Amino acid sequence: MPSMRSPYWLFVVLALLLAGLQYRLWVGEGSLAQVAEIKQQIATQQGENERLLERNRILEAEVMELKRGMETVEERARHELGMVKEGETLYLLAE
């Protein structure tokens, strides 16, 4: 009779081991759900990084243009601050 119990206990131990591994695969740390969530976060962050890199490229081009000449400075002063050159007359039309 003792030889009949040994395979049964071995089966129980292996089943518990398999259940523990399955738990970790589906629910525990490093589970498939956690991996999928991290991949989604990575994709979101990469999109944000691309957006910020494009913004940085635009700002860098603007800085370079401002360093090169006064035309850009003058254009910004006219557009953003409403400034005029000496000797010019500004006409504001009210609606």
Side-chain angles (χ1 to χ4, degrees):
M1 233 20 183
S3 64
M4 292 290 245
R5 289 183 88 193
S6 291
Y8 174 75
W9 285 106
L10 180 63
F11 175 74
V12 170
V13 169
L14 289 175
L16 289 174
L17 181 64
L18 180 63
L21 291 173
Q22 286 294 313
Y23 174 80
R24 181 178 165 124
L25 177 67
W26 298 107
V27 180
E29 184 178 333
S31 67
L32 294 177
Q34 188 179 31
V35 169
E37 181 182 341
I38 289 172
K39 283 182 180 180
Q40 176 60 38
Q41 289 174 353
I42 289 171
T44 302
Q45 188 63 52
Q46 285 175 337
E48 179 70 10
N49 289 351
E50 285 297 319
R51 186 186 69 76
L52 292 173
L53 283 172
E54 180 60 29
R55 189 191 82 189
N56 287 349
R57 280 191 284 269
I58 291 169
L59 289 173
E60 185 179 357
E62 192 173 321
V63 167
M64 293 304 292
E65 194 169 321
L66 287 171
K67 285 181 178 180
R68 269 191 286 154
M70 291 302 292
E71 295 86 23
T72 305
V73 174
E74 183 180 325
E75 179 184 336
R76 289 189 73 147
R78 288 174 177 271
H79 183 264
E80 294 177 9
L81 303 174
M83 299 180 82
V84 294
K85 280 185 177 180
E86 192 174 316
E88 289 183 333
T89 304
L90 176 66
Y91 295 99
L92 290 176
L93 302 175
E95 291 184 28

